[in-house]
Structure formats: C-alpha cells, structure tokens
Amino acid sequence: MACYAALLHQPPASPSPCTSGRAGSCRVRPPPLLQRRAPPLSARAWISPRCSYAAAGGSAGAGAGEQPAAALRRVLETPGAHQAPACYDALSARLVERAGFRACFTSGFSISAARLGLPDVGLISYGEMIDQGRLITEAVSIPVIGDADNGYGNCMNVKRTVKGFINAGFAGIILEDQVSPKACGHTQGRKVVSREEAIMHIKAAVDARKESGSDIVIVARTDSRQALSLDEALWRARAFADAGADVLFIDALASREEMMAFCAVSPGVPKMANMLEGGGKTPILSPLELEEIGYKIIAYPLSLIGVSMRAMEDALVAIKGGRIPPPSSLPSFEEIKDTLGFNRYYEEEKRYVASPAQSSFGSGNYDYTTEASSSGDTKSRTEKSQEPIIDILPQLYDPGSAGGRGPSSGMWSRTLRLKITGRDGVQKIDARIPAGFLEGMTKVIPGLAGTNIMERLRNAPMDSDNPQNGQILLDFEDGMGDRIQVFIA
C-alpha cells in the first residue's frame, strides 16, 4: 500500500513502499496536486464577497487574494489526514470555521433536509444547491467543497454545473456516477451509469475547469461498491484518476480491508473518506487510523444536521412544557451575537460614523439662530454653533396646549435636551426639543419604542419653580442597550 501522505516526506523520484501484493501496482507518479499550476491571474479574477465583520478570525482560510481552490490545494499538500465536517447553511459553515477546521464540505443530504425538509432522493435542484452554496462560501474564508450530486444531467449539464460551482466560490466539487434520480449512497437501491458515461462526466468536468480558467479541485465519487461490486468501484476510481480527477472517493465501503484496497489504487491521488455517523455502511475510524490507511481528507456528513435536529426537538419539548432550554444547551445572547458577528460589525461601523448634522430652525422664544445685537454676543454665538446639538422647531408643539396637564404644565412647556448614546459608545442623537415633543419622539425613534418617557418625566424629581439648566431628569437604558438621557436645557 502506498499512502499519499508518505510521498510528502520523500523526494519525488523515490519509490514508495507497496504492500498490495500485485505486480506493477507500485508505480508512483508525482501527486497531481503538486504538479498543477494555478491559472494566470489574467485568466480569471475571483473576488471574495465575504463580509469582513462576519469573518471568524484566526482561521486557516484563504489568504488575501488567494482563490478558494488554491487554498484547498494548499491544505491537501500538507501532511496528515484533514477533517472537514459537512455544513448545510451559512451559520453551520461559520461554526465549522470558528472551530478551527481548515476546510469543510457541503452535504446534499443535509441541505435537502434543512432547505426543503425532504429526503436526499434527488428532489433538490441544481439552482437550489448553487444558491445555498453561494451563501455558504460568502460566510467563511476556509475552502468549501461542494456536493454536486451527479452533475444534474449529461456531460453538458456537468460542464454547466462545474462552472456554476466555480462562480459560486467553491474550492472543490464532488461528482458521482449515480443515475437520476440519485440518492444517499448508504441507502437502498443505488444504481450507477455505465463506465463510459461515468468517465466522460469527469472529462467534461476537467474541460469545464480549463475553459473557466479556474483550478477547482475535482473530487470523483463512485457509488458502484453498493450498486455493483468492490472490483468495479476500484476500476472506476482508477479510471477517474486517469481522466484528470484530483481526489478519489468510493462511497459506502464496507470494511477496513476494502478501504485499504481503495487507498492502494492510484497512489499519487488523494483519497476521501466518508464517516457517515449514526449507522452507515463504512466503519467509523479515527483520523489517525484513516491516515495510516492512506486517506487524505475526511468528511463527516451528518454530525451538524443530526445534533441540530436533536437539539431543536429537545428545545421544543421544553417550550411546550412551559420552560426554556437549560443554559447547558442554550448559548447566552451575547454568545449568539458574537458568533453572528455583531461585535465585529459594531467595530467596523465606527469607521463610517458621520458627525451629527447641524440643523437650526427659529420661531418665537425658541429661535436659537437670531443674530446677536452686540459684539459681546459674537463669542457666545460662535461657541454655540460648534456644539453638536440639534435644535428642533417647537412649532410641532403648542405650549399653550399644555394648560390641561395639571401640576406639571410648566414642565411640558420647557425646552429639554435629549441625548441618546449607542451601546457601542457612538452618539446617535443630541437635540434640544420641547418637553411635549418627547411624546411624539417615542414614535419615530426606534430606541424609544415602548418607553413611556412622559410617565418617567412626570415622576422625575424637579423643582418646577426653580429648575436648573443642565439638571438630569432621566438617565436609563432602553431595550436595545442605548443610553437615553434627558436634561433641562
């Protein structure tokens, strides 16, 4: 047996040991991943649309300006067998990246379950997979290998599928040889296309890659182990490598011995293992065991969707019983916001905060823009114009209408200063307004929604006959975490 990992520690010309026992099966070619050169930048420029505030930070993802396929090839060229959990949406992909994995897969089984609520029996379409995949690749910086089922048709469909996955930002694409409608390889009734058609699909994928100027990693999968036989699966894997596949994958191998036989085929080409959790046909082995057998990358297709289903069921049972999920199973609100990138968003948002607009309107006793009648007022007027305070017209509030408000009527006719500071320290509002206008403000300022600010004002301690300018009447935090302060102007 010759392991791809062993080649990384030897000179290219050195033969690799073989334990297959078959003459002529030990001839080693340099790994195609190491041979292949990325296309010139002029051939295709790939621009990542990822949001910077959504990046998890600290991940071993694509570097600045690096194409997704180049990042994946870099991972495959490093020693060891690399674990790559399967995601099904942008959030699960981000959690994979935050956990420190260097790559991830998309699972057609899981996407069909999460997006459609349906089994993986060929019901989900090319367009739905592309749409979901684009959201996933935009959410992370690590390379993503996409599940493209059987290419959604003949060779021309395969070419379109490969180009679509490239444009969606995938680093790799898995293509299988099942007939339509396809289904999960560990379920009953698997059928595969002919040898010739399966090989032509891989050749069409290679041609599509060349035509697009990309270097997407092509993972060739065969389901013929369960549909036909182990010997047929080994033959197809070898033929896929000769057709130009970068990674080989036989699904639903039934024993360690079958896995070893697979890794002895085309020893220069990396092998993919599929650790189907919860009762698949393939033995569940540790990453170290899989590396020793000869695997290079390991998929875990159902872990995330499976635990999500169980967690949601448990939460619903708790809610139906009049409780909420226990803290051990429910992240805090702060943890949820951190995972989704709220804090990074707030930090980035600060870079684009504009100074509050200066707006002045004059009318009656509230005209703050009246020209000074003496030179002594010039300095005062200049200082006032530099204050980041907005003066709002009292025409919207008639002081005379406050007469029926009882003992606090003097308060309603006064001018107040409203100051709102965001939870991130950014000042949102600093304005002078008539006290009675506060009631209308609660309807137009989101941070004041649901706040009975007039009731708070009635209860605020104040000597209505001798109010002091600058006195704080209210100082509290609203439901959004903004600090709201009201002063006597």
Side-chain angles (χ1 to χ4, degrees), residues 76-417:
L76 293 173
E77 289 170 359
T78 58
H82 302 285
Q83 297 171 286
C87 63
Y88 53 89
D89 60 11
L91 176 57
S92 59
R94 188 173 300 169
L95 292 174
V96 171
E97 181 176 30
R98 282 172 59 91
F101 291 96
R102 302 183 65 185
C104 71
F105 288 89
T106 63
S107 164
F109 185 105
S110 300
I111 291 176
S112 181
R115 185 177 175 110
L116 304 181
L118 294 174
D120 181 22
V121 290
L123 297 175
I124 196 163
S125 68
Y126 161 79
E128 289 168 318
M129 292 294 287
I130 282 287
D131 181 59
Q132 194 81 348
R134 183 176 290 107
L135 297 176
I136 289 170
T137 62
E138 289 179 0
V140 296
S141 61
I142 58 175
V144 182
I145 302 172
D147 184 351
D149 295 329
N150 56 6
Y152 307 101
N154 62 17
C155 288
M156 299 306 293
N157 292 106
V158 169
K159 292 184 70 173
R160 178 173 182 256
T161 297
V162 171
K163 293 177 181 180
F165 272 55
I166 291 170
N167 290 331
F170 282 104
I173 182 172
I174 304 175
L175 292 165
E176 61 197 55
D177 57 359
Q178 287 194 51
V179 301
S180 296
K182 58 84 57 187
C184 171
H186 292 251
T187 57
Q188 61 185 8
R190 297 305 94 237
K191 296 180 181 180
V192 294
V193 300
S194 67
R195 287 181 172 184
E196 294 75 15
E197 185 176 354
I199 294 170
M200 292 307 296
H201 281 188
I202 299 304
K203 289 183 177 180
V206 172
D207 289 343
R209 175 173 62 191
K210 292 177 181 178
E211 293 169 8
S212 67
S214 170
D215 201 26
I216 191 171
V217 174
I218 297 174
V219 181
R221 162 182 162 175
T222 178
D223 288 78
S224 54
R225 166 62 188 92
Q226 296 298 321
L228 298 172
S229 67
L230 174 63
D231 287 341
E232 178 66 17
L234 296 175
W235 189 95
R236 291 191 181 212
R238 190 179 297 110
F240 291 163
D242 293 339
D246 299 299
V247 178
L248 302 178
F249 171 27
I250 298 180
D251 198 20
L253 291 171
S255 68
R256 181 189 291 260
E257 289 71 28
E258 290 187 1
M259 298 165 78
M260 293 177 67
F262 168 46
C263 287
V265 170
S266 301
V269 183
K271 310 300 190 300
M272 170 183 161
N274 188 30
M275 296 289 97
L276 187 83
E277 312 88 323
K281 298 182 181 297
T282 303
I284 301 297
L285 303 179
S286 70
L288 181 58
E289 290 175 307
L290 291 170
E291 180 183 0
E292 290 174 348
I293 290 175
Y295 284 101
K296 191 62 186 174
I297 190 164
I298 312 164
Y300 299 86
L302 298 184
S303 289
L304 297 188
I305 189 69
V307 299
S308 297
M309 291 170 64
R310 177 58 55 83
M312 286 189 282
E313 289 172 343
D314 292 345
L316 292 171
V317 169
I319 293 172
K320 192 172 183 180
R323 298 171 287 109
I324 63 172
S328 59
S329 63
L330 181 66
S332 68
F333 185 48
E334 288 300 320
E335 290 173 325
I336 293 174
K337 291 191 295 182
D338 183 60
T339 298
L340 296 177
F342 275 83
N343 295 329
R344 292 178 63 88
Y345 174 89
Y346 293 142
E347 288 300 315
E348 184 175 345
E349 184 185 36
K350 291 179 182 179
R351 296 165 48 190
Y352 307 104
V353 173
S355 300
Q358 298 293 325
S359 176
S360 298
F361 304 92
S363 176
N365 297 331
Y366 297 94
D367 187 355
Y368 295 101
T369 61
T370 304
E371 298 249 349
S373 58
S374 65
S375 60
D377 292 334
T378 303
K379 181 178 180 181
S380 175
R381 185 174 69 254
T382 302
E383 292 175 350
K384 181 178 296 185
S385 66
Q386 295 174 347
E387 294 179 1
I389 301 174
I390 302 173
D391 295 326
I392 299 179
L393 266 176
Q395 294 173 338
L396 301 177
Y397 172 72
D398 180 7
S401 66
R405 294 189 181 266
S408 299
S409 58
M411 186 69 248
W412 309 132
S413 61
R414 291 196 55 83
T415 300
L416 303 180
R417 179 180 175 185

Side-chain angles (χ1 to χ4, degrees), residues 4 7-8 12 30-37 73 76-78 268:
Y4 177 73
L7 297 176
L8 296 173
L33 287 176
L34 301 179
Q35 288 181 323
R36 192 184 306 281
R37 293 185 178 181
R73 292 182 184 277
L76 293 173
E77 289 170 359
T78 58

Side-chain angles (χ1 to χ4, degrees), residues 435-449:
F437 191 50
L438 279 175
E439 191 167 10
M441 294 288 282
T442 61
K443 300 178 181 179
V444 298
I445 299 178
L448 294 178

